[in-house]
């Protein structure tokens, strides 16, 4: 395998990276291209073609292609995704109040259907009448369906019946909760299923774009996708379970960080355009979150690295607190298209509008802001309200200034809703623009960044004075704020991993004094107990100052800008399946798991059957996920306390895990 060439791709919110890698030589070529959200194939094609051409690599020399992405994570952080109908089988309306399900649902429709099962897999009759009454309206209103059944992890029959009905009647994507998790907790499983359904179309587009370009180049190699725990899955599996790709990019970056630095322990912080992801590297492995990944404020049932994701990056929106005597800046969580990037794509309308706004006597509230369509398929616009349709119809893929687009103040809220649906980009001043103003970044249009900074500096504070003396001054303020907020999120993540709940890194006066070196009678200082490993395309710009503020050692590896793409090609395929054994009545043992529900009169027979089911299902899933000769391990936990001297089985769990390297296609000419 060491002679095989691997192609790693990472599609982020701003850049798409590609690397050519071999186990013998490491990284042999790398390249970046802008992520083109309106047509992902353009950015992917640019990055992939560049690395292949650098190396002069033939299509036949590529044995494996592996893809990581932050698109799913970014979508959840920014509240984006297709309109989805949630079908709740056997649940009651009050269940929506649990685990943030109601907040996640927002204005999307929900249908309650009688049915479901108990903990042992016994059913309550399914009645699809409420769904049948609503189906004609739903299929015109939504882009996907999510189906969650009561105790479906013990018996998925009702979910499968509803799934088949929906696919037959609508042809739309359908996600079932039992396909995503074997864990109990119906509302959180429903939440995970809802988020998955919203992401299906987005991941479909990404994989289609990748496969399309690989076919154009004649590359006939397996395509793998990085899961949120750093393991790899086949692209066909990722299409049906896109929720498993949340934290895909960050997970790949952890794997890449360990490979690039050789460090066993570290705090890994990866800054992108939209988010900063912080995780702990311990004994050479990423620390996993035992309770499921938290993204966008929602705790899912997706097994993933214990990654703390914050809406803070190089393209974060800059908020100006200008009502007081002292100007306060806050960054994020929303991503904007940087002005320098907008002008890089289409210079004339951006530069022209910024100059016009600077020449005006009075500063407008919409100055320095632009909008354009993202170019996603029309089906993402399903379910728009009339005001949203009207504004959407006035937009094109051309960048237009907001002061010419919006005709009334309420339209700002309408625009925000279109942004939340992933239909519209808003451009404005960001830390990336600040770096262009200061001459520390130069890949886009520096003139637009300079003009945008001048506009921002003209804003007045509560005393009626400009918030900054110059473009350079507001740029320094922005970068300083990014440094401080980065320290706060890194500390917040580390404190959370330590189980510390009493210290709020953002609000603590003691933390403030330590970071800013403000000393009094009591001197406060802090640092990390392991190096800070900085990753991301802009890591070299930001992390030296961040590490200095944290008084910590730091490591910024040479290929920090493509750590995700490297991590994508050095991972393993890993599949785990858990089968449950319970005792619903005396001398009757229920075996549930892997879509199987059976009964036995002997505990030993039930346990042996559970082992067989778990082993076979794990091996089958690993092979389907793309593993080559996976190795199997089995772990069992049994809860069987003695009650009045009699052993009583409460629950047994048999978990089988199959682990192996991904299959590769070997070059017959090697």
């Amino acid at each position: 395998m060491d002679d095989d060439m691997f192609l790693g791709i990472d599609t982020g919110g701003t850049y798409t990276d590609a690397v050519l890698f071999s186990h013998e030589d490491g990284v042999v070529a790398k390249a970046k291209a802008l992520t083109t959200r309106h047509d992902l194939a353009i950015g992917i094609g640019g990055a992939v073609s560049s690395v292949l051409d650098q190396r002069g690599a033939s299509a036949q020399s590529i044995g494996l292609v592996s893809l990581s992405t932050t698109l799913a994570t970014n979508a959840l952080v920014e509240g984006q995704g297709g309109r989805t109908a949630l079908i709740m089988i056997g649940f009651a309306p009050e269940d929506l109040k649990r685990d943030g399900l109601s907040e996640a649902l927002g204005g999307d429709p929900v249908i309650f259907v009688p049915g479901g099962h108990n903990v042992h897999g016994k059913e309550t009759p399914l009645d699809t009448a409420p769904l049948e009454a609503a189906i004609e309206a739903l299929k015109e209103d939504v882009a996907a369906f999510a189906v969650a059944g009561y105790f479906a992890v013990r018996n998925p029959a009702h979910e499968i019946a509803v799934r088949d009905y929906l696919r037959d009647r609508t042809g739309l994507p359908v996600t079932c909760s039992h396909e995503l998790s074997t864990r109990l907790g119906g509302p959180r499983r429903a939440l995970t299923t809802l988020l998955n359904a919203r992401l299906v179309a987005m991941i479909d587009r990404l994989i289609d774009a990748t496969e399309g370009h690989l076919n154009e180049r004649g590359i006939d190699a397996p395509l793998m996708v990085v899961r949120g725990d750093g393991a790899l899955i086949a692209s066909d599996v990722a299409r049906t379970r896109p929720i498993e790709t949340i934290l895909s990019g960050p997970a790949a970056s952890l794997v890449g960080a360990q490979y690039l630095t050789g460090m066993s322990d570290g705090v890994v912080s990866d800054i992108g355009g939209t988010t900063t992801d912080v995780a702990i590297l311990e004994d050479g492995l990423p620390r996993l979150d035992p309770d499921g990944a938290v993204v966008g404020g929602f705790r899912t049932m997706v097994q993933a690295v214990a990654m703390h994701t914050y809406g803070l990056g190089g393209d974060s929106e800059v908020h100006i607190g200008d009502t007081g005597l002292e100007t306060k800046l806050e960054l994020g969580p929303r991503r904007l298209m940087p002005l320098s990037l907008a002008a890089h794509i289409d210079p004339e309308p951006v530069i022209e509008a910024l100059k016009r706004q600077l020449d005006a006597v009075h500063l407008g509230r919409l100055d320095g802001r632009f909008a354009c369509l993202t170019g996603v398929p029309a089906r993402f616009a399903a379910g728009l309200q009339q005001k949203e349709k009207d504004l959407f119809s006035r937009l094109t893929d051309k960048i237009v200034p907001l002061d010419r687009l919006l005709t009334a103040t309420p339209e700002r809220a309408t625009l925000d809703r279109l942004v939340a649906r992933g239909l519209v980009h808003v451009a404005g001043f960001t830390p990336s623009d600040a770096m262009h103003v200061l001459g520390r970044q130069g890949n886009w249009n520096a003139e637009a960044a300079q003009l945008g900074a001048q506009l921002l500096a003209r804003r007045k504070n509560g005393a009626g004075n400009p918030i900054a003396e110059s473009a350079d001054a507001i740029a320094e303020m922005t970068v300083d704020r990014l440094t401080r907020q980065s320290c706060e999120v890194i500390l917040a993540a580390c404190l959370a991993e330590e189980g510390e709940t009493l210290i709020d890194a953002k609000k603590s006066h003691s933390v403030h004094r330590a970071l800013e070196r403000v000393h009094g009678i009591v001197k406060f200082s802090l640092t990390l107990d392991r190096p800070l490993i900085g990753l991301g395309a802009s890591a070299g710009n930001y992390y030296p100052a961040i590490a200095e503020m944290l008084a910590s050692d730091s490591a910024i590896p040479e290929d920090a800008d493509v750590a995700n793409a490297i991590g994508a090609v050095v991972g393993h395929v890993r599949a785990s399946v858990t089968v449950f054994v319970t005792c619903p009545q005396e001398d009757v043992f229920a075996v549930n798991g892997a879509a199987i529900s059976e009964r036995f009169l002997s505990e030993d027979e039930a346990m042996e059957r559970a082992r067989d089911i778990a082993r076979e299902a794990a091996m089958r899933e690993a092979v389907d996920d793309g593993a080559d000769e996976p190795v199997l391990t089995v772990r069992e936990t049994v809860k069987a306390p003695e009650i009045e001297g009699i052993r009583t089985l409460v629950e047994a769990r048999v978990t089988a895990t199959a682990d192996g390297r991904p299959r590769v296609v070997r070059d017959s000419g090697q």
Side-chain angles (χ1 to χ4, degrees), residues 391-465:
L391 182 56
F392 185 69
S393 68
R394 304 204 310 260
L395 283 158
T396 69
D397 59 352
K398 298 296 183 183
I399 298 171
V400 294
L402 291 194
D403 65 353
R404 294 289 171 84
L405 172 68
L406 304 184
T407 58
T409 300
E411 286 191 333
R412 294 184 67 176
T414 305
L415 180 66
D416 286 341
R417 290 194 295 272
L418 293 176
V419 172
R421 291 286 297 275
L423 300 170
V424 175
H425 286 311
V426 171
F429 191 80
T430 69
S432 294
D433 293 311
M435 283 295 189
H436 278 79
V437 172
L438 298 172
R440 301 174 197 170
Q441 190 173 332
N443 46 324
W444 299 328
N445 190 305
E447 182 184 5
Q450 183 76 23
L451 293 170
Q454 290 175 26
L455 271 175
L456 203 59
R458 286 175 55 184
R459 292 269 295 269
K460 298 290 199 300
N461 60 22
N465 300 317

Side-chain angles (χ1 to χ4, degrees), residues 200-486:
V200 167
M202 178 183 296
I203 296 301
D204 260 348
R205 289 178 58 234
L206 173 62
I207 293 174
D208 283 344
T210 306
E211 290 179 340
H213 184 72
L214 295 177
N215 290 336
E216 285 180 13
R217 296 288 306 213
I219 297 174
D220 183 22
L223 175 61
M224 308 296 290
V225 180
V226 180
R227 220 166 49 186
D229 61 356
L232 304 178
I233 53 175
S235 58
D236 287 347
V237 177
R239 286 182 188 273
T240 60
R241 302 204 300 263
I243 191 71
E244 293 190 4
T245 71
I246 62 171
L247 303 180
S248 162
S253 75
L254 271 176
V255 178
Q258 200 284 323
Y259 174 84
L260 290 171
T261 64
M263 292 181 175
S264 296
D265 300 286
V267 176
V268 181
S269 184
D270 186 350
I271 187 168
T274 307
T275 61
T276 291
D277 305 305
V278 186
I280 307 300
L281 192 63
E282 207 160 56
D283 296 327
L285 296 172
R287 187 183 287 184
L288 298 182
D289 189 334
D291 296 320
V294 178
V295 182
F298 301 113
R299 183 171 289 282
T300 70
M301 282 189 168
V302 178
Q303 185 180 40
V305 295
M307 186 70 67
H308 300 263
T309 300
Y310 303 91
L312 177 68
D315 302 344
S316 287
E317 183 173 13
V318 179
H319 301 275
I320 306 292
D322 53 9
T323 55
L325 298 179
E326 216 176 289
T327 301
K328 295 182 179 180
L329 270 61
E330 193 72 20
L331 306 181
R334 188 168 73 165
R335 174 190 182 271
L336 299 184
M337 180 188 294
L339 293 173
S340 50
L341 174 55
H344 176 78
I345 295 170
D346 196 0
E348 187 175 333
V350 177
I351 299 295
E352 196 174 272
L354 291 172
K355 287 182 175 179
R356 170 177 59 79
Q357 292 164 356
L358 269 173
D359 288 340
V361 177
H362 300 291
L363 185 69
R365 277 290 176 182
L366 299 177
D367 286 358
R369 291 293 177 102
F370 300 79
C372 65
L373 294 180
T374 60
V376 299
R379 65 179 179 272
F380 274 72
L384 291 181
Q385 302 301 312
Q386 189 58 50
K387 290 181 179 179
E388 294 165 353
K389 289 180 181 178
D390 293 342
L391 182 56
F392 185 69
S393 68
R394 304 204 310 260
L395 283 158
T396 69
D397 59 352
K398 298 296 183 183
I399 298 171
V400 294
L402 291 194
D403 65 353
R404 294 289 171 84
L405 172 68
L406 304 184
T407 58
T409 300
E411 286 191 333
R412 294 184 67 176
T414 305
L415 180 66
D416 286 341
R417 290 194 295 272
L418 293 176
V419 172
R421 291 286 297 275
L423 300 170
V424 175
H425 286 311
V426 171
F429 191 80
T430 69
S432 294
D433 293 311
M435 283 295 189
H436 278 79
V437 172
L438 298 172
R440 301 174 197 170
Q441 190 173 332
N443 46 324
W444 299 328
N445 190 305
E447 182 184 5
Q450 183 76 23
L451 293 170
Q454 290 175 26
L455 271 175
L456 203 59
R458 286 175 55 184
R459 292 269 295 269
K460 298 290 199 300
N461 60 22
N465 300 317
I467 63 171
E469 296 178 354
S470 64
D472 281 8
I474 193 67
E476 287 285 6
M477 289 168 63
T478 302
V479 173
D480 288 348
R481 186 60 201 160
L482 181 65
T483 300
R484 174 58 187 266
Q485 279 187 235
S486 295

Side-chain angles (χ1 to χ4, degrees), residues 605-622:
E605 289 181 8
M607 289 295 297
E608 190 55 41
R609 177 60 175 148
R611 295 182 191 105
D612 289 342
I613 293 172
R615 284 192 291 254
E616 291 170 10
M619 288 294 284
R620 183 170 59 249
E621 186 176 326

Side-chain angles (χ1 to χ4, degrees), residues 152-177:
V153 294
R154 296 297 168 86
N155 190 332
H158 289 180
E159 284 194 354
I160 292 170
V162 170
R163 177 196 67 193
D164 293 346
Y165 171 80
L166 290 170
R167 286 178 177 170
D168 182 59
R169 290 294 301 272
T170 70
L172 294 172
V174 183
T175 301
C176 291
S177 76

